[in-house]
C-alpha cells in the first residue's frame, strides 16, 4: 500500500484492540466517512486483528506498527508518532480513539499546520480522568469531542472544556427491530 495518497481524515488510535466498543464504533465511522467520499486512513499499533482485516478489505488504508501495549515508557505511542508525523501534518482532521499522554499530544500540537483534532471518548470522562479532570491545557488541545451520552458532555463542561461537543450514541436509543435472545447453546 502506498503512503503517497494523503487522507482527509486520519484516525490516530494508538492501540487498536481486536474487539471493543470504541474500535467497532471507529470501524463504522471510517466506513461511513468513506461512503461519503472522504479519504480516510487508520494509524494504530498492535498485532493481527479481525476488525483491521475487515477495514483493509473495505479499502481503508491501515498503517500499523507491530509494537504492542504494555510498555511503561509508552514506546509504541512514541514510535507511532515519529513514523506518522508527516501524515499528521497533511491531514485535515485527526481523530483520536483514545486520549494520548500529554507529552505526545503536545508534540502533535506543535505540528504545523495542525489538523483539526477530535477525541472520541471511549469512557465517561469523570471515570476516565477522575473527578478533577485533566488539565485545561490538555482539554483545549481538542477542537471537538464526540461523546456517547449527554452526561458525558456534562462532565466535559464541568471540567471547563469550551470546545464543540457532539453526542453520538454508540448504540441507537431505540432498537431498529425486535431483539430476541439467541437459541440455547449459541
Amino acid at each position: 500500500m502506498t503512503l503517497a495518497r494523503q487522507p482527509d481524515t486520519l484516525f490516530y488510535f494508538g492501540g487498536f484492540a481486536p474487539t471493543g466498543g470504541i474500535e467497532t464504533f471507529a470501524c463504522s465511522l471510517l466506513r461511513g466517512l468513506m461512503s461519503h467520499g472522504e479519504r480516510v486512513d487508520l494509524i494504530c499499533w498492535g498485532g493481527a486483528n479481525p476488525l483491521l482485516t475487515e477495514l483493509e478489505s473495505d479499502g481503508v488504508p491501515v498503517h500499523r506498527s507491530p509494537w504492542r501495549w504494555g510498555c511503561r515508557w509508552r514506546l509504541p505511542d512514541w514510535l507511532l508518532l515519529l513514523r506518522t508525523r508527516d501524515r499528521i501534518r497533511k491531514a485535515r482532521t485527526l481523530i483520536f480513539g483514545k486520549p494520548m499522554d500529554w507529552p505526545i499530544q503536545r508534540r502533535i500540537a506543535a505540528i504545523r499546520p495542525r489538523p483539526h483534532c477530535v477525541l472520541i471518548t471511549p469512557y465517561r470522562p469523570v471515570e476516565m480522568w477522575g473527578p478533577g479532570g485533566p488539565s485545561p491545557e490538555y482539554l483545549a488541545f481538542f477542537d471537538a469531542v464526540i461523546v456517547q451520552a449527554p452526561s458525558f458532555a456534562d462532565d466535559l463542561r464541568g471540567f471547563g472544556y469550551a470546545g464543540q461537543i457532539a453526542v453520538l450514541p454508540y448504540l441507537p436509543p431505540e432498537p431498529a427491530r425486535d431483539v430476541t435472545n439467541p437459541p440455547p447453546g449459541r
Side-chain angles (χ1 to χ4, degrees):
M1 179 165 307
T2 180
L3 293 178
R5 180 190 119 331
Q6 295 301 322
D8 297 317
T9 302
L10 182 60
F11 279 65
Y12 194 90
F13 255 74
F16 199 93
T19 57
I22 192 69
E23 289 82 4
T24 302
F25 176 81
C27 288
S28 296
L29 188 54
L30 279 158
R31 288 181 182 119
L33 289 169
M34 274 185 50
S35 73
H36 286 90
E38 190 84 4
R39 292 175 305 180
V40 297
D41 281 23
L42 172 64
I43 293 178
C44 61
W45 49 257
N49 183 322
L51 290 175
L52 294 176
T53 302
E54 284 178 32
L55 283 174
E56 288 171 322
S57 70
D58 288 345
V60 174
V62 177
H63 310 284
R64 180 179 352 185
S65 167
W67 288 85
R68 299 199 108 127
W69 55 88
C71 176
R72 65 180 170 166
W73 299 289
R74 305 277 194 245
L75 190 57
D77 290 327
W78 283 106
L79 291 173
L80 198 60
L81 175 62
L82 293 172
R83 183 173 169 232
T84 59
R85 187 176 173 87
D86 191 51
R87 297 196 74 68
I88 292 169
R89 180 180 294 112
K90 293 176 181 174
R92 187 182 67 228
T93 304
L94 183 59
I95 298 179
F96 291 85
K98 70 172 186 173
M100 304 301 276
D101 287 341
W102 179 233
I104 292 171
Q105 284 186 199
R106 190 176 318 135
R107 294 284 174 101
I108 293 170
I111 294 173
R112 295 291 180 254
R114 184 174 89 80
H116 185 76
C117 292
V118 178
L119 171 66
I120 302 172
T121 56
Y123 307 104
R124 184 169 181 175
V126 76
E127 294 168 359
M128 190 166 49
W129 289 309
S135 73
E137 183 182 32
Y138 183 90
L139 282 176
F141 170 83
F142 298 107
D143 300 299
V145 180
I146 298 172
V147 297
Q148 56 182 304
S151 61
F152 289 27
D154 295 341
D155 287 354
L156 288 170
R157 295 292 183 220
F159 292 153
Y161 179 68
Q164 184 179 15
I165 298 175
V167 178
L168 188 60
Y170 287 172
L171 300 173
E174 295 292 327
R177 58 182 169 72
D178 290 340
V179 177
T180 58
N181 292 326
R186 289 191 64 181

